[in-house]
Amino acid sequence: DEVAVAGGGRATLLTHELPTDGLVYLNVGFDLARLPIDDVPYVPLLCRMMSELGTDTLDETAFSRTVSAQTGSLGVSTMTSAKPRPGGAAGSPDEAVAMLMLSGRAVADKAPQLFDLAADMLASTQLDNAERAVAMLKQSLARAEAAVVSSGNSYASAALAARFSLCGSVDEMLGGVSQLHTLRGALEQ
């Protein structure tokens, strides 16, 4: 179904009745196609900030505790995939779909709280908290440097995949050696 969204836009709403034993799952995808390629490496930081920082109405601790108490989970991540061709055929290596995904789950009784928290996360996360953003960058850099040592083969695989497809290139920017360079560069600024 097409639904109206704020600002006069339209969005596609997909609902699926599934036997989930009373759980409600929320998955909202935001197309990143219009995001300039130079900004793509900063998307993991945005995801982390949206998932962990407070909002205009709840500080970081209160937001985290409320999410834990009211939902099974709520967070933001990325998803990349080769763009399928009509009929579901495999897509071209030069075409990709990249999405920012807001995902959560809650028991059915808590669905309104899940939706309210998701809306709050989208509309009023405190993205201007520079001190916390720097701390997140430092933590992310430390984790990435440790991961290169322990999982170097994954980084090598991502670097190879980046040479053969747009999806591989975007994935490498989001979580490969390029991401490590982005983190270092952001901390130097």
Side-chain angles (χ1 to χ4, degrees):
D1 296 334
E2 259 201 31
V3 295
V5 294
R10 310 255 341 133
T12 302
L13 173 66
L14 302 175
T15 59
H16 303 283
E17 296 260 347
L18 297 171
T20 60
D21 290 330
L23 293 177
V24 173
Y25 292 88
L26 171 69
N27 290 297
V28 181
F30 299 93
D31 190 356
L32 296 176
R34 293 185 185 183
L35 184 68
I37 197 74
D38 291 342
D39 293 340
V40 169
Y42 298 99
V43 171
L45 176 62
L46 175 65
C47 291
R48 186 161 177 208
M49 290 176 75
M50 290 181 71
S51 297
E52 295 179 23
L53 291 180
T55 65
D56 291 344
T57 57
L58 297 169
D59 68 24
E60 187 173 336
T61 303
F63 185 74
S64 175
R65 287 181 180 162
T66 303
V67 166
S68 294
Q70 301 292 329
T71 74
S73 67
L74 180 63
V76 181
S77 62
T78 57
M79 182 206 72
T80 56
S81 175
K83 185 176 183 179
R85 292 189 177 145
S92 163
D94 296 329
E95 294 182 287
V97 175
M99 307 287 282
L100 185 77
M101 299 297 298
L102 171 78
S103 302
R105 69 176 184 265
V107 294
D109 296 5
K110 301 281 186 171
Q113 291 89 336
L114 171 66
F115 298 137
D116 288 344
L117 287 165
D120 206 21
M121 181 185 279
L122 287 172
S124 67
T125 297
Q126 295 175 337
L127 297 175
D128 58 351
N129 188 338
E131 182 180 319
R132 190 67 177 103
V134 170
M136 287 179 169
L137 280 169
K138 288 177 180 178
Q139 291 168 347
S140 295
L141 179 59
R143 286 181 190 154
E145 288 173 339
V148 168
V149 173
S150 65
S151 303
N153 59 327
S154 295
Y155 283 83
S157 177
L160 286 172
R163 302 189 87 189
F164 295 105
S165 73
L166 179 59
C167 188
S169 181
V170 171
D171 281 342
E172 202 282 328
M173 280 188 257
L174 295 172
V177 173
S178 296
Q179 179 62 202
L180 189 66
H181 295 303
T182 297
L183 295 169
R184 286 182 181 146
L187 282 169
E188 290 172 4
Q189 294 180 6

